[in-house]
Amino acid sequence: MSPSHNILDLGLSDFNETWELQKKLQTKRILNEIEDHLLLVEHPPVYTLGKNAPKEHLLNFVNDASVIQTDRGGNITFHGPGQLVGYPILDLNHYKRSITWYMRKLEQLIIDILGDYGIFANRKKGLTGVWVKDKKIAALGVRISKWVTMHGFALNVNTDLTYYSGLIPCGIFECGVTSIKEVLQNEYSVQEIAENYSKYFIKHLPIKYHVLYLPVAGKVSLSHPRLSQAGEHNPSESQNPNPMQDSPHSLSSQGSINIDGSMA
C-alpha cells in the first residue's frame, strides 16, 4: 500500500499548541503509527527564535506579539495573521534522504505558486528561502529527526510587514521583506493560497492524499477523529526511492538536525 498524506487546515491557531501537535505527529510518524501530514495554519502575532538565534537580532517587538524560543534551525522570524505557515510531517525515507533536496523542494513549491499569480520569485545563492528581487517573501526552517520532518515554511500573503521592523529578518542585515499583497497591490485570502499550495504539494509529492479541514483551530489533539483517519502502512510495501544521504548535513538513523532558514 502506498503512503498517504493528511492535509490539515487548522485556520488561526496558537503557535505553542500547533508546535505540540507537530511534535506528537512527528513521534507517531517515526514509530510508523500514522502517515505523512501537512499542517496549514495562521498564527496570532509571535516572534520565534531558532535554536541558536542571537537574541540581539530581536530589536524591539510590538506589544501584542509574543516571543518564543523554538527547537528549529534558523534565526528569528515573525508569524502573524495574513501569513500562510506550513508544517510538513514527512518521512523522507519514502522520498529522498537528502536535506538539500527537501529544502529546495519546499522552495520550489512556493516559487511555482507565486508564478501562478504573476510573481517572479527565486532563490538567493547561499541563503534559504524564497525572494522577490532583494526582498524575502517566504522563510524556511526545519527540524529533522530520524529522517522525519517538522516545522517548515512561512509565506507572507497579507501579512502586516510593520512587525518586521522589530527584528533583523533571518539574521541578514541587508534583508528586506515583502508579501503577495505588497508585490501585486492586490489582496488574496490566506485560505485561497492554502488551497492552491495543497495542489502544488500533491503535484510535487505525488502520493495519495486526504484533505481535511478542522473547524476548531488550535484545539485539535491526536484523539481527534479526523487525525485518527491517517492509516498505518507497511514500509516494505511502499515505494522508497534509492535515498542518498547528502553532505555537509549528514543525519544518522538515530539523530536529529536543525536546518537554518529562520522559520518556525
Side-chain angles (χ1 to χ4, degrees):
M1 184 169 76
S2 297
S4 64
H5 272 92
N6 289 277
I7 302 177
L8 311 180
D9 186 343
L10 303 181
L12 184 66
S13 183
D14 176 78
F15 179 85
N16 277 325
E17 291 181 3
T18 309
W19 185 14
E20 287 302 311
L21 177 60
Q22 284 188 76
K23 288 187 281 188
K24 291 175 182 177
L25 290 173
Q26 186 190 46
T27 298
K28 282 185 168 287
R29 189 68 187 100
I30 289 170
L31 296 173
N32 202 33
E33 294 178 356
I34 61 171
E35 298 288 357
D36 291 343
H37 280 67
L38 170 64
L39 309 181
L40 296 174
V41 62
E42 288 180 79
H43 290 306
V46 57
Y47 294 102
T48 66
L49 287 78
K51 193 171 183 180
N52 299 310
K55 291 182 172 56
E56 58 269 23
H57 286 180
L58 181 60
L59 306 175
N60 52 71
F61 57 92
V62 181
N63 290 335
D64 67 338
S66 55
V67 180
I68 297 175
Q69 180 76 52
T70 75
D71 59 352
R72 62 166 170 81
N75 206 288
I76 181 172
T77 195
F78 168 77
H79 297 310
Q83 182 187 74
L84 175 64
V85 182
Y87 299 126
I89 312 295
L90 306 181
D91 185 349
L92 295 184
N93 289 294
H94 297 296
Y95 302 93
K96 187 173 183 179
R97 291 201 309 180
S98 166
I99 295 163
T100 300
W101 173 86
Y102 178 60
M103 299 300 283
R104 300 295 83 79
K105 182 69 73 172
L106 291 181
E107 290 169 344
Q108 193 60 51
L109 283 165
I110 295 169
I111 290 170
D112 286 353
I113 190 172
L114 291 175
D116 277 357
Y117 288 87
I119 298 175
F120 177 73
N122 54 32
R123 301 180 178 91
K124 277 189 175 292
K125 186 176 181 180
L127 298 174
T128 302
V130 177
W131 304 74
V132 177
K133 297 182 178 179
D134 291 324
K135 293 184 177 182
K136 193 172 225 181
I137 195 168
L140 280 71
V142 305
R143 177 176 171 82
I144 299 175
S145 179
K146 299 181 181 178
W147 292 109
V148 176
T149 68
M150 64 179 288
H151 298 298
F153 72 89
L155 171 61
N156 290 331
V157 181
N158 305 310
T159 319
D160 182 354
L161 299 179
T162 60
Y163 282 96
Y164 286 93
S165 64
L167 72 154
I168 301 172
C170 311
I172 306 170
F173 289 84
E174 68 277 14
C175 171
V177 292
T178 190
S179 66
I180 293 176
K181 180 180 179 180
E182 182 178 73
V183 173
L184 297 179
Q185 294 298 298
N186 194 10
E187 188 163 328
Y188 294 89
S189 71
V190 174
Q191 182 64 39
E192 176 184 338
I193 303 300
E195 290 174 1
N196 287 332
Y197 182 87
S198 297
K199 296 174 184 176
Y200 274 100
F201 194 78
I202 293 170
K203 176 182 176 182
H204 282 262
L205 298 164
I207 55 177
K208 183 180 177 182
Y209 293 83
H210 306 285
V211 181
L212 305 179
Y213 294 92
L214 301 186
V216 186
K219 302 297 182 182
V220 297
S221 69
L222 289 176
S223 62
H224 193 287
R226 290 186 175 178
L227 281 179
S228 67
Q229 290 181 19
E232 297 181 4
H233 78 279
N234 185 340
S236 65
E237 295 176 344
S238 63
Q239 292 181 351
N240 187 0
N242 294 326
M244 293 181 61
Q245 197 161 316
D246 66 344
S247 177
H249 301 296
S250 63
L251 179 68
S252 72
S253 62
Q254 302 299 318
S256 299
I257 189 167
N258 302 310
I259 312 300
D260 288 347
S262 288
M263 224 297 298

